[in-house]
Each structure stands twice: as structure tokens, then as C-alpha cells.
Amino acid sequence: MSGNGARGRGPQGGGHTRGDGMSDAGPLDLPSPRALAARRVLGNARAVTGLVLLGLLFLLAFAGPLVSPWGHDEIDFTAFRRPPSPEHWFGTTGSGRDVFALTVRGMQKSLLIGLCVAVLSTGLAAVVGAVAGYLGGWVDRLLMWGVDLLLVLPWFLVVAVLSPALGGRWPLLIPLLAAFMWMVTARMVRGMTLSLRHREYVLAARFLGVSTPRIIARHILPNLASLLIVDASLGVSVAIIAESALSYFGYGVRPPDTSLGTLIADGSGTALAYPWLFGFAGGLLVLIVVAVNLTGDGLRDVLDPAAPQHPRPRPRPRTPRRYGGRT
Amino acid sequence: MSVLTVRDLHVTYPPGVRAVRGISLEVGAGEVLGVVGESGSGKTALALAVLGLSPSGADVRGSVRLRGRELVGRSDAEMSLLRGRDIAMVFQDPLSALTPVHTVGDQIAETIRVHAGATRRAARTRAVELLDLVGIPDAPRRARAYPHEFSGGMRRRVMIAMAIANDPVALVADEPTGGLDVTVQAQILDVLRVAREATGAAVLLITHDLGVVAGVADRVMVMYAGRAVETAPVDQIYHRPRMPYTIGLLRSLPRADGTVRPVPIDGAPPSASAPPAGCAFAPRCPVALARCGDTVPEPAPVGPGGHRAACFNIEATADLDAVFPHRPAARRPEAPARHRRPVVLQVEDLVRHYRQRRGGPVHAVDGVTFDVRAGETLGLAGESGCGKTTVLMEILRLARPQRGRITVFGEDTAALAAADRKRLRRDLQVVFQDPFSSLDPRMRVADILAEPLSAHGMPGPKIQLRVRELLGVVGLQEEHACRYPRGLSGGEAQRVGIARALALEPRLLLLDEPVAALDASVQAGVLELLDELRARLGLSYLFVAHDLAVLRHVADRVAIMYHGRLMEIGAASAVYQRPAHPYTRALLDAVPLPDPLRERKRRRIPLQGDPPDPFAPPAGCRFRPRCPRYTALRNDALRRRCETSDPALHVLDPSVDRQVACHHAEGAK
Ligand SMILES: Nc1ncnc2c1ncn2[C@@H]1O[C@H](COP(=O)(O)OP(=O)(O)O)[C@@H](O)[C@H]1O
Ligand code: SF4
Ligand code: SF4
Ligand SMILES: [Mg+2]
């Protein structure tokens, strides 16, 4: 038995009245939700593995150039298309550039683009979808009209047209890519919000006078956390690949700068003959995706309300009830 | 000769959930054994094990014999040959037992052909006969309908027809009336009686409701934490129970005659994964002895007719009142007469129609008028779907209704600005039916209780104090503050729901079936709490319930609703004693009494038909299609009034607080 014996014997047993001297007992001693979440993330093996791996990858990307004997834009005219050696750790390309220097340089771009685009687009999808679904009416119609419009726009062409305006400022790629990745998720979020908004706990919050932004932030979005986390994890790889497609056609990161996607695209044609041109960039991309997915899975476990401390089968209600309908 | 014999049955679900812990029972031909227990006591696990339907991974040990043949350990193939022929079942959820893509006639005919090898034509004829037997009107035509075209009550009838198709020797019915309205429940219980007489089967009737068992069962077995704690002939159980849990269960039942106040059993049942070493009831038992905690009591004879009880302290239970003594009602301050008290909520001619994509609008609420005065409880009752919840939701929206007027504390909701609305929300709060779905699963109890406080701008440190205070007010401990809703029992979760509603110190509480999802013993505790709070905090309640027995104990006035309209409203005691509207009378007639003697003697006019679809009501009186008084009218002129004119609520006698919407109401003096 889990402490059932001490349950209150109704109000008579305790003789509680409002403010009957309980106030001097001091406030409740509760850990803050944030501290609790942090503790649980650190207790989750998958989340910890994913986060450590991500940390190492960032370290490699940003500390790599400092220790590399070659810069990414330097050319070694004595070594064309050489396999890995003590001089060139990951080998060299056909034009004599150091693959290690290129790879870590590309990783910087890809990590930043992948993570930022994923977070940005999922965040946008969450807010737009939840606002549209929760408020309904003309707000919903307007936002969904915008979503449909963006869905039919050929994003590749738009980016290609805007690309000259970027003028090589690659960080601008982040909002540009994010702007075209959130729509399908927004529609899913809206659909799930439509069913959540008639849940009794959402109604209860509304009838208690809780404001709409707060209801969306505290009751709607947390209950969509699984969907959003999966979406963001997928978004990282999608963004990295989309960026490489753009770069391949010369619209994204431009030479002599580079990205993982560009390296993979360049190296894939000769992958069998010169595996180092392709293998290191490809392997690191896989590692990034694995790290992100591990972190995502771990976070999902941590945020799952079914997991916490006191698992006890709950009685099934006899007459399930649905509130609302159309309002 | 017993048909179904169970000996020392144990069922364990992974991981180590001991759902059934040594049950023995016997049911003879034509006999009904009622199995009663709270949710989680292992009733369903017992039924599934008897039928050989335990989920894979379950460990079933012991013996189940059907006419001497052992069933435990048989292969699935052998069992499915037996099931449907020798032993049949009726479950709570008929939709899962019927295939949606075949007509019900075909499905019944199919079981007959599979098991009895009848010809297609003979099987079809028999299927129609069976549907007729269980009271499906126009059986030959309805046999060609699909399951989803039937109402909930009609589907149960189809299930029963299917179960008795092959004249089984034993019938297992698990909550056959669960989730039904009392009116339909009464009909289904009648059908079960018919089915038993038609087949002479041994019936195992499983339910949480002692009222259901009283009128149908011959013997009753009470289960607690996976064990049979008391078994006796039905009259013995109700009039001379000996085991403290049975006594507590009976005491906790609300009665529609209002004679005795329900007494709760404090505490909650033990968890099935860690059953206590001794008597499972010991932590909640008022007469526990020292050794009750160490040794498990075995069922021993305590009375005539095979009356057995598992208890060490039988001597202490000779006087029932001593075990669970009556608790006095909360004393309410002397209130002035009703017409002197201020009106806190006034609803005038409220209308709410839902537009449909297809078909006409749903008339959910169709002109409802009532008021609630300070310090009183108005009970709102009616079958499911009659619009009770819609009335509450319309009030809670605090916006202009489609038609009519809602006035809360003297303020017309149509004229409210956003700031006024937020201010009014402090005074007007709600408690929902299902305590779990009304609490955000991702928030801790403390955060749930803090939410309304911070939304209304209370500073952080004060919130903590208030949360602690609220937990105390509803009888919870501080340890509950950091639990998630999942970690609470049903009764505890509902207390959290009540605490949240009280957080802003409201003056009017709207309660939507606040105890319908709770077990009887827990229900009584929550009712007691609500009663207490009303007296102490000077609250007014609008209390919605489909259970008239519950309302009898909480309401000062009751309003009876049908198809979006009030049929009768007035002082509770008078309405219960002398219902003036035929619908009120029918509802009261259908409430099962936890008393087998009176249940058998009862002169019932069972209400026929199902609750209406909430589309456009018929011309004239909307209750006419089901009205027994209309059917009994012989005078054409009188009948025509019912057919052509829609009766409005009118006062029968100016000296009595009672209004009725019927042209031929009985005098309500
Ligand atoms: N498939 C299952 N796996 C694990 N535990 C189960 C399963 N089914 C039921 N239980 C548990 O077994 C106990 C008895 O359940 P049940 O027979 O459904 O009770 P009742 O019918 O009285 O509500 C409960 O603790 C329940 O949670
Ligand atoms: S055995 Fe003991 S604890 Fe159990 S019911 Fe009897 S007196 Fe109470
Ligand atoms: S008005 Fe007629 S049909 Fe309606 S309830 Fe009265 S008797 Fe029945
Ligand atoms: Mg059950």
C-alpha cells in the first residue's frame, strides 16, 4: 500500500477551516517544476547519451579548426586526392584541400542550420497551429489560408530568387528554410488542438479565468510535446538535407565555404574510389541525426505523464462525457 | 446440482497484479449469483477467467467446472467451441462484441449455425424470434439493421439475444447495465429475467451496483481486493450482513426514499500489486482486531442458507449501527424563507441549438427557466442527452445565450465586458464529472490548485499558503501536493477538482455529476464533503445528476429535465413523495432500491422506449411518445390536448413550491 492509510477522514476528522492557524506552518516545500524536469532529464540514459554526443559534435565542429594544421580555404599543391595521412587527417580533395578542415567547417554550418531551422519551424508550427485550433473562427480561417498558400508555393524557386539578396550571408538561410518547413506540422497541431480544447481540464482553466495565451502555453502545447519533439528531431535532418540541395545548385552556402551536405554531394559520385571524400562527412551527419533523435526520445520519456512516480491503475469512468460541441 | 463451480481460482496479471486471490463459488441451474464489488476488486478478471478469455500473459490457477467438465487449461480452440454454446457472455460494451459490418440478424443466425448446425433459414427465423423475445420492436425488420443503428439500450438487448441463442447452460454478464440510464437499466434487467426463464441458465451477474442485484439475484457474493468476503442469499445480504465491508457498502448507498444518510467508508481499497498480508479490509475496518493485520480470514458459515463471511470479528457486527454509525448532517445556519433570500442565478427561457452539417439542428436546450437562491442546492436531473450539461456550459460561458437570459449575481451575462466576466468567474465555479479528465495529466496537484490563483494575480508566497489550506479543506494530505493526477485514486482526484473550484472562494458552484464516476463507498465521502462545505462556506449549488438517489440527499429543490425542457420543478421532498409529472414518476420508479423485499413487491410502470434523439421535438407534448398517462387516457379531447399543445411550466397550487409542464398533472398538494 502506498500511504493510503493516512488519508483524511473527511472534513470532520481534520476540522479544517479557512486560515485556522495553518498559515503559520509555512509554504509548501515543493521542488520547482524546472528543477524537477532537469533532474529527470539527467536521470534518463537516452537523453544523457544524446546530449553528450551532441556536445562532443559541437566541440569537434568549433574546436576542430583551432587544432587543424590546415585551413578550409588553403590548398596543398603537393597532395591531390590523397587518402588520410598524419599530414591530412581525413585526406585531401581533388583540388588539394584538407578534408578535415572542410568537414569541421561544414559541420559548423550544418549543426547551426539544422538545429536552428528545426527549433524555429517547429516553434512556429506549434504557435500557429495551437492559436488557430484554439481560437477557431476567422483567426483559424485566416491562418489556415496562409498555411495553404505557403504549401503550394514552390519553395525552391522562391529561395533561388531570393538567394542573390542573401549575398553570401548564410545565416539568413535559417529563417528562409524555416519559413517553408512548418506548414504541415501546423496543420497537425491544429487538428490535435481542436480535440484538446474541449477536454475538461482546458474548459476548467477557461472557466477559472485563465487567459488564452496561458491556456495555450500551459495546457495545449505541453500535451502536444511528443508530436513536437518528433517533428523537431526529423526537422534537423530535413533542414540539413534541404540546405545541401540548395548549396548544390549554388543557392545556399557558397564556396570556398562549405557544409556537410555540400561535401556529401561532392563526394558521393566517387564514394567507392575515394571513400574519404564521402565517408567522414556522411558518418558525422549520421552521428548528428542519431544524437538528435536520442535526445528527442529521452525528452519524450521525461515529459510523458505516464512515467512519473506513482503509477496506479485508475478506475474507468462509467459514463464518459463530452463537453462542448461547437462554441 | 450446481452447473458452474469455481474452486480456489487465482488470476495474476503481469507484473504481479493479483486480481483474483482464491475465489470459490457455485451457481445452480436457473439461479442468479450476483457478484458485487468496487472497481478494481477483480470482478472482470473473474468473469474473463471463467470464460477462458483472460488476456495472454495472465496466470490462471484453480478450477472452473461447467457441469463437471474442467475449463481451466483448455486450449483456445476448445474454449471457443464451448463459448456461445454452453457458456455465453454479455459485456458492458456491446459495440466491441458486435461486428459493425454485419446485420444483427445475420450475426445471431451465424452463432446458431456454427454451434447448432441449423439451416440458414431456420437460423434466421430463430434470430428474429430471439430479437422479439428480448423486446426489440418490429423484430423482422430490425434484424436487417446494423449495430450502430441501435441505441445503447437496444444494443444490450441484441447482445442478450445473441448470448441466449444456443440455450447456454451458463451465462456470464459483466456490468450488463453499466453506463445506462435508470429507465433503460430497468428494461434491461427485465430482459435478463426473461432470458433466464427462457433458457434456465445459471447466471453470474457482475456489477458494482448493489441496487441492481437486489431485484434480480438469488444469492450475492461480495468481492473485496480479489477475494470473496461474504456470500449469502440475497435477503440475508441486505438485512443481516455480517462482514464489515458489506455493511459499509450498504450504508454508503444513497437511497431514493431518503430515509438514511449515506455513510462513507474512509480510505481506499488496497493496490492489487501489493495486497496486504492479513484481511485486506483491515486498514478501513472500524472493528479490526490485532490479528486482522497478520492472518487472512477464511469464509466461515455465519447464518442459514449457506451464509458465509470472511471475518474474525463476527461478534462485533451483530449490531449493524455500531459498525458504521450514522454521521450527523452538517448543520446549516438558520436561513430565512426562500423568497427572502437573494437570487444568485437566474435562467430565463434559455435556448441552445447546435447546428449540424446534415439534418436539422439539435435542440439541446429548448427553453429552460429556473432560479437558484443563496444557500440552497438545486438538483437538475434527467436521462443522458437531455441537455443538463449544456445548461451548465451555457451558464459558465458568461456570454449572451442564443435566446433567453442568464443573470448571475444580478448581472446579465449578455452585457458583460471582458473584465467583468473575469471578475464574475471568481464567484462562479464548476466541478466536472470525470475527475481524471478534468485535471491536466502533466501538472502536479499543487500546480493545478495554484493556476486559478496566479491567473487572478495572487502573489507567489500567498499562493503556496492557499494551496496548503485548500488541500486541508477537502481532506487531502500535503503529500498529495506533489503527485500527478495519475497517482491519485478517483475519490482523491475529485477532491482536487473540488479544491480547485474552491480556490477563488466562489459563492455558487455548478457541479456536473460530481460523483457519477466514483464507487459508492467513495461517493458518500465526496457527498459528505460537499454538504459540509456548503454549510461552512455558505455556498449555493446547482447540482446535475442522473442518479435521483444521489440528488435526494443533497438537493433542496429538484428540476426534472426532458429533451431540453424542464418537466417539473419544486421542493425536493415533495417532488420525491408526490411526483406530479408522469416522467418524474417514471424516473423514480426506475431507481433500483437496495432492498430485495421491497424491490420484489414494487408496483412499477416501467418507462418504455429510449431517451429521445435531441432533434426537433414532436408536436404537442414532447414526452407524449413515451408517456404512460397519455396512453391511459380514454377521452379524445384530453388526448388531443397532449397531441396539439406544448405544455408550459405552470404552478399547480400557489401555496406549494411546484411547477409542472403537463396538461394532466396529478395534484401536488
Ligand atoms: N490486462 C491487465 N493487466 C494488468 N492488470 C490488470 C489487467 N486487467 C485488469 N487489471 C487489474 O486487475 C485488478 C482487477 O481488475 P478488474 O477485474 O477489471 O476489476 P473490476 O471488474 O472489479 O473493476 C485491477 O487492479 C486492475 O487494474
Ligand atoms: S477480519 Fe478484522 S479487519 Fe477484516 S473485516 Fe473482519 S474485523 Fe475487519
Ligand atoms: S401533457 Fe400529456 S403527454 Fe405530456 S406528460 Fe402530460 S399527460 Fe403525458
Ligand atoms: Mg470491471
Side-chain angles (χ1 to χ4, degrees):
Chain A
M1 278 196 48
S2 54
N4 288 339
R7 191 163 297 114
R9 324 191 100 233
Q12 287 94 339
H16 324 277
T17 41
R18 278 186 192 188
D20 59 351
M22 297 172 95
S23 28
D24 55 16
L28 285 169
D29 188 19
L30 284 179
S32 85
R34 217 163 281 151
L36 212 64
R39 209 183 307 149
R40 269 193 274 140
V41 169
L42 295 181
N44 183 290
R46 277 196 285 185
V48 170
T49 318
L51 284 172
V52 167
L53 197 54
L54 262 186
L56 290 177
L57 288 167
F58 264 96
L59 194 69
L60 178 64
F62 287 92
L66 305 179
V67 297
S68 164
W70 295 87
H72 74 277
D73 44 3
E74 287 174 319
I75 293 177
D76 182 354
F77 292 100
T78 64
F80 295 110
R81 220 172 257 153
R82 286 288 164 76
S85 65
E87 174 70 4
H88 295 286
W89 300 334
F90 286 4
T92 58
T93 67
S95 53
R97 291 165 74 187
D98 181 71
V99 176
F100 178 81
L102 284 174
T103 306
V104 291
R105 178 78 186 180
M107 238 170 88
Q108 289 180 6
K109 300 281 168 319
S110 292
L111 272 173
L112 285 176
I113 290 178
L115 289 175
C116 293
V117 168
V119 168
L120 215 63
S121 78
T122 302
L124 192 61
V127 171
V128 171
V131 167
Y134 186 76
L135 293 181
W138 65 267
V139 176
D140 182 28
R141 279 198 294 279
L142 192 74
L143 287 174
M144 286 305 112
W145 179 78
V147 162
D148 290 339
L149 189 77
L150 280 178
L151 271 176
V152 296
L153 273 189
W155 69 274
F156 201 89
L157 274 183
V158 175
V159 178
V161 168
L162 288 178
S163 165
L166 299 185
R169 278 167 295 172
W170 66 269
L172 289 179
L173 269 181
I174 291 174
L176 206 56
L177 279 174
F180 287 98
M181 273 178 51
W182 58 277
M183 293 85 69
V184 175
T185 317
R187 277 210 162 270
M188 284 200 283
V189 169
R190 172 184 173 269
M192 295 175 75
T193 307
L194 283 181
S195 70
L196 279 179
R197 77 168 180 180
H198 290 303
R199 291 281 169 83
E200 285 153 41
Y201 58 81
V202 177
L203 287 176
R206 207 170 99 206
F207 295 148
L208 285 162
V210 180
S211 65
T212 302
R214 209 149 144 161
I215 291 180
I216 291 180
R218 292 200 58 174
H219 297 289
I220 304 273
L221 292 182
N223 283 292
L224 298 175
S226 300
L227 169 80
L228 296 177
I229 289 172
V230 172
D231 182 67
S233 323
L234 285 176
V236 173
S237 356
V238 172
I240 292 177
I241 289 162
E243 178 274 324
S244 68
L246 281 174
S247 303
Y248 186 78
F249 290 101
Y251 299 131
V253 177
R254 295 187 181 172
D257 215 335
T258 189
S259 69
L260 279 191
T262 316
L263 289 173
I264 293 168
D266 290 348
S268 59
T270 53
L272 291 180
Y274 314 108
W276 62 90
L277 289 184
F278 168 85
F280 291 109
L284 285 168
L285 179 61
V286 169
L287 273 185
I288 293 175
V289 171
V290 167
V292 165
N293 281 316
L294 277 175
T295 314
D297 282 356
L299 281 182
R300 232 160 21 125
D301 289 351
V302 168
L303 293 175
D304 185 359
Q309 315 87 339
H310 307 277
R312 190 190 302 172
R314 58 185 235 197
R316 254 164 282 130
R318 297 214 180 85
T319 41
R321 207 173 220 322
R322 291 205 20 240
Y323 291 92
R326 275 149 283 258
T327 37
Chain B
M1 233 309 271
S2 87
V3 173
L4 183 68
T5 313
V6 175
R7 286 270 161 269
D8 199 28
L9 188 72
H10 290 259
V11 180
T12 308
Y13 290 126
V17 178
R18 313 237 358 232
V20 176
R21 304 184 295 146
I23 293 266
S24 300
L25 58 86
E26 283 176 10
V27 201
E31 187 187 34
V32 178
L33 175 67
V35 176
V36 183
E38 292 175 279
S39 62
S41 61
K43 308 181 299 291
T44 303
L46 170 67
L48 294 179
V50 166
L51 291 161
L53 286 174
S54 295
S56 62
D59 177 28
V60 179
R61 265 176 291 160
S63 145
V64 176
R65 283 169 183 276
L66 186 64
R67 286 200 295 199
R69 285 161 71 197
E70 180 61 52
L71 301 189
V72 172
R74 271 177 196 262
S75 72
D76 268 356
E78 285 175 298
M79 277 312 290
S80 40
L81 270 183
L82 282 176
R83 270 196 309 267
R85 190 184 65 201
D86 293 344
I87 185 163
M89 59 264 179
V90 179
F91 284 134
Q92 173 169 3
D93 177 14
L95 268 189
S96 64
L98 297 168
T99 320
V101 295
H102 294 297
T103 66
V104 299
D106 284 350
Q107 293 189 49
I108 297 174
E110 180 70 15
T111 55
I112 299 174
R113 269 153 43 78
V114 166
H115 290 294
T119 65
R120 188 176 292 266
R121 173 180 295 248
R124 277 216 58 106
T125 318
R126 177 97 180 104
V128 172
E129 276 171 28
L130 284 165
L131 287 175
D132 196 44
L133 178 73
V134 296
I136 304 252
D138 195 7
R141 197 175 57 82
R142 296 298 280 163
R144 288 197 295 274
Y146 291 91
H148 67 265
E149 297 174 59
F150 289 83
S151 66
M154 285 294 157
R155 265 185 230 132
R156 308 274 163 129
R157 290 174 192 256
V158 172
M159 289 254 296
I160 295 173
M162 194 142 133
I164 61 175
N166 292 304
D167 278 330
V169 294
L171 188 64
V172 178
D174 187 8
E175 300 276 6
T177 61
L180 294 178
D181 284 307
V182 277
T183 49
V184 183
Q185 167 171 296
Q187 297 168 11
I188 296 299
L189 290 177
D190 279 342
V191 174
L192 268 180
R193 283 192 202 100
V194 171
R196 182 199 28 178
E197 273 153 30
T199 59
V203 182
L204 198 59
L205 172 69
I206 293 175
T207 168
H208 66 274
D209 190 341
L210 270 167
V212 165
V213 178
V216 189
D218 303 304
R219 283 189 306 128
V220 177
M221 182 174 101
V222 180
M223 276 183 79
Y224 188 74
R227 294 180 66 89
V229 293
E230 183 157 11
T231 312
V234 64
D235 296 303
Q236 284 300 100
I237 281 281
Y238 287 87
H239 297 299
R240 289 245 26 90
R242 296 308 298 272
M243 154 80 195
Y245 174 63
T246 315
I247 298 169
L249 208 53
L250 282 165
R251 291 267 146 152
S252 68
L253 283 185
R255 289 167 195 251
D257 54 14
T259 43
V260 252
R261 253 171 67 83
V263 186
I265 309 178
D266 294 322
S271 115
S273 22
C279 173
F281 190 56
R284 304 168 76 186
C285 180
V287 295
L289 303 172
R291 68 181 159 135
C292 296
D294 319 319
T295 341
V296 179
E298 289 301 327
V302 292
H307 188 168
R308 299 165 81 82
C311 177
F312 291 127
N313 201 0
I314 291 297
E315 298 75 46
T317 62
D319 177 15
L320 303 186
D321 283 317
V323 186
F324 284 97
H326 288 292
R327 298 190 189 173
R331 280 233 341 274
R332 278 200 269 171
E334 247 357 92
R338 177 171 152 76
H339 65 272
R340 296 242 168 76
R341 279 177 276 142
V343 176
V344 292
L345 171 68
Q346 185 154 24
V347 174
E348 290 161 90
D349 194 30
L350 178 68
V351 169
R352 180 72 165 103
H353 293 178
Y354 289 112
R355 265 170 319 178
Q356 297 279 88
R357 285 257 163 68
R358 281 174 298 153
V362 169
H363 293 231
V365 176
D366 209 17
V368 163
T369 302
F370 63 82
D371 61 358
V372 179
R373 285 182 188 256
E376 73 183 13
T377 300
L378 174 67
L380 186 58
E383 288 165 295
S384 61
C386 72
K388 308 183 293 286
T389 298
T390 311
V391 170
L392 289 199
M393 292 299 127
E394 285 300 295
I395 298 170
L396 283 163
R397 273 180 45 214
L398 292 180
R400 180 192 294 278
Q402 275 177 348
R403 209 178 76 204
R405 186 152 53 149
I406 301 172
T407 316
V408 183
F409 298 108
E411 301 189 54
D412 187 340
T413 56
L416 288 178
D420 298 327
R421 196 167 291 136
K422 183 156 178 179
R423 176 175 48 75
L424 261 189
R425 293 219 180 279
R426 301 188 73 121
D427 291 329
L428 173 72
Q429 274 310 316
V430 59
V431 177
F432 290 100
Q433 166 173 359
D434 180 350
F436 288 102
S437 55
S438 63
L439 304 178
D440 190 334
R442 289 178 187 264
M443 283 166 78
R444 291 173 303 177
V445 169
D447 302 324
I448 289 170
L449 295 183
E451 181 166 42
L453 300 170
S454 58
H456 284 265
M458 191 185 261
K462 272 178 88 177
I463 291 182
Q464 299 257 308
L465 290 176
R466 179 74 177 134
V467 166
R468 167 191 293 246
E469 193 176 280
L470 284 168
L471 286 172
V473 165
V474 297
L476 290 174
Q477 314 297 311
E478 251 172 57
E479 52 143 352
H480 292 108
C482 55
R483 296 227 194 134
Y484 286 83
R486 241 187 95 81
L488 302 171
S489 70
E492 287 166 341
Q494 195 57 297
R495 281 169 196 263
V496 174
I498 294 172
R500 176 178 57 185
L502 293 176
L504 299 170
E505 310 194 25
R507 291 183 282 161
L508 171 62
L509 222 50
L510 310 188
L511 303 126
D512 189 6
E513 308 255 13
V515 295
L518 305 177
D519 274 307
S521 70
V522 179
Q523 185 176 341
V526 173
L527 287 177
E528 193 175 62
L529 170 70
L530 287 172
D531 192 35
E532 232 280 323
L533 290 173
R534 181 180 60 170
R536 192 147 52 82
L537 307 179
L539 300 171
S540 317
Y541 290 160
L542 174 55
F543 196 113
V544 166
H546 70 271
D547 187 343
L548 282 166
V550 165
L551 274 191
R552 181 76 181 92
H553 295 277
V554 294
D556 303 307
R557 301 177 78 229
V558 281
I560 309 292
M561 198 166 169
Y562 185 79
H563 203 339
R565 193 68 78 73
L566 292 193
M567 297 286 112
E568 180 162 7
I569 181 168
S573 52
V575 171
Y576 276 83
Q577 271 157 28
R578 296 181 60 90
H581 195 284
Y583 180 58
T584 314
R585 156 138 297 173
L587 276 184
L588 283 170
D589 273 350
V591 179
L593 284 177
D595 182 340
L597 282 179
R598 284 169 60 196
E599 187 69 24
R600 263 178 253 137
K601 276 197 296 215
R602 234 161 131 189
R603 174 190 60 86
R604 275 216 174 110
I605 314 168
L607 189 57
Q608 290 311 314
D610 292 315
D613 291 330
F615 298 110
C621 175
R622 56 191 66 211
F623 185 53
R624 182 169 48 87
R626 296 170 77 190
C627 180
R629 195 168 297 161
Y630 167 77
T631 322
L633 287 178
R634 291 284 159 255
N635 180 326
D636 271 351
L638 295 182
R639 289 174 77 101
R640 205 160 314 117
R641 279 194 77 191
C642 299
E643 287 154 16
T644 52
S645 126
D646 189 1
L649 271 187
H650 58 270
V651 179
L652 281 187
D653 177 338
S655 65
V656 185
D657 169 26
R658 175 88 67 101
Q659 285 166 281
V660 185
C662 171
H663 297 305
H664 311 293
E666 283 171 20
K669 270 288 202 45

